[in-house]
Amino acid sequence: MRQALDPSLYDVSLIDALIEARAKFGDKEILEDQDRHPLTYTGLIRAAFVLGRKIAQMTDKGERVAILLPSSMGVVATFFGLHAHGRVPVMLNFTAGEANLKAAIKAAGVKKVLTAKRFIDQAKLDELIVELKTVAEVVWLDDVRKTIGLADKLYGLAAGAAPKRFRVKTDPDAPGVVLFTSGSFGTPKGVVLSQRNLVANARQVAAHIDLRPEWVMFNPLPTFHCFGLTGGVILPLLQGMKAFEYPSPLHAKQITDLLPQVKASIL
């Protein structure tokens, strides 16, 4: 327990913490969503590096890039893809409404919003996207994925084998994410958490709870929420627990049906 609270354990960037988790727990299945096509650590690292490089080609190092996606394998790969290439994820609350989202985009200095047509169609957010396009460029990840060719796949293989050679080295005290308050009391306020903050939060939880690598963490909370991101994504991935990402906490029946199917240990 004393070792778990050693501050040196937090002295690591998020992408390096993910890479180190693979070395510690082995290349096991670590991420799944309702599409039921799980990824191993290596699969996740490859996906993050390939997608991240595509996004890096249209952004600048250190740029804050917004993500407008539900809890899914896609949002996790996008989040770590930005980190692999030295960009800062800005998690947008797609339930916050047009005015609050525009305020968040302005406050964070966001130029590009990453989202997916499938999600926007299912969530019926087409009108919201029309409005967001007036303040930022909307990048469809579905279209980005269609441009992935042989050279990208070869890059992914190399990055999966030796990720520390390909990732952009970042300081643990550099920004890890920008989250926003709900806007209940006026305009949403941006909260910048460092990579050290996020790694420390996850490892502090693990210091208090005896989490086992064979367990499955079922996360229906959105990643624009601190619990959904830290507890539902970063914590399980760094502790060797498979993370099952589900897009909405409101689907009570679907969630309770899924829990035994995915052998969930923690909800």
Side-chain angles (χ1 to χ4, degrees):
M1 284 300 221
R2 288 176 189 162
Q3 185 188 12
L5 296 173
D6 178 354
S8 69
L9 291 174
Y10 316 147
D11 192 26
V12 61
S13 69
L14 273 165
I15 193 67
D16 282 357
L18 179 67
I19 295 164
E20 290 167 12
R22 178 179 69 171
K24 181 175 181 179
F25 297 105
D27 194 21
K28 55 180 286 190
E29 282 188 6
I30 197 65
L31 185 64
E32 192 174 2
D33 62 16
Q34 60 180 346
D35 288 341
R36 308 305 298 274
H37 299 298
L39 286 174
T40 62
Y41 272 116
T42 297
L44 171 57
I45 290 168
R46 284 176 183 162
F49 271 85
V50 170
L51 182 60
R53 186 167 79 150
K54 288 288 187 185
I55 298 165
Q57 289 167 357
M58 57 181 90
T59 56
D60 298 320
K61 186 179 175 185
E63 184 174 328
R64 293 173 176 175
V65 183
I67 300 176
L68 187 79
L69 290 170
S71 291
S72 58
M73 294 203 303
V75 77
V76 179
T78 305
F79 178 82
F80 280 102
L82 290 175
H83 276 287
H85 294 274
R87 275 66 178 167
V88 182
V90 177
M91 312 308 285
L92 294 182
N93 179 349
F94 45 80
T95 70
E98 174 199 329
N100 282 340
L101 277 169
K102 283 183 173 179
I105 286 169
K106 182 180 179 182
V110 162
K111 300 175 193 170
K112 289 183 170 61
V113 177
L114 309 176
T115 190
K117 291 175 183 173
R118 177 184 171 193
F119 164 59
I120 297 303
D121 290 344
Q122 289 177 344
K124 298 180 171 58
L125 295 175
D126 303 81
E127 290 182 13
L128 176 65
I129 291 298
V130 170
E131 290 302 322
L132 294 189
K133 283 181 176 178
T134 64
V135 292
E137 180 185 350
V138 172
V139 176
W140 299 105
L141 293 174
D142 329 54
D143 294 339
V144 172
R145 288 191 182 96
K146 288 174 188 172
T147 68
I148 292 171
L150 179 60
D152 300 304
K153 292 175 182 176
L154 292 172
Y155 166 79
L157 286 171
K164 284 196 176 182
R165 291 187 182 179
F166 291 87
R167 60 95 170 95
V168 172
K169 185 173 173 57
T170 52
D171 189 317
D173 289 318
V177 72
V178 180
L179 299 177
F180 285 90
T181 60
S182 63
S184 307
F185 301 94
T187 306
K189 296 167 185 67
V191 181
V192 181
L193 297 173
S194 72
Q195 300 188 44
R196 187 190 301 274
N197 289 153
L198 296 166
V199 172
N201 277 178
R203 293 192 168 158
Q204 286 158 355
V205 171
H208 287 278
I209 306 171
D210 184 20
L211 300 169
R212 310 203 173 178
E214 63 268 24
W215 288 356
V216 175
M217 168 81 79
F218 191 100
N219 176 42
L221 289 176
T223 52
F224 59 71
H225 192 292
C226 58
F227 282 175
L229 180 64
T230 307
V233 175
I234 296 169
L235 173 65
L237 295 185
L238 299 195
Q239 290 302 126
M241 293 189 298
K242 185 178 186 179
F244 192 99
E245 304 298 323
Y246 189 79
S248 173
L250 305 178
H251 298 169
K253 186 179 187 308
Q254 293 96 316
I255 289 171
T256 48
D257 287 347
L258 265 175
L259 291 174
Q261 292 177 35
V262 305
K263 299 181 171 62
S265 312
I266 304 177
L267 169 62

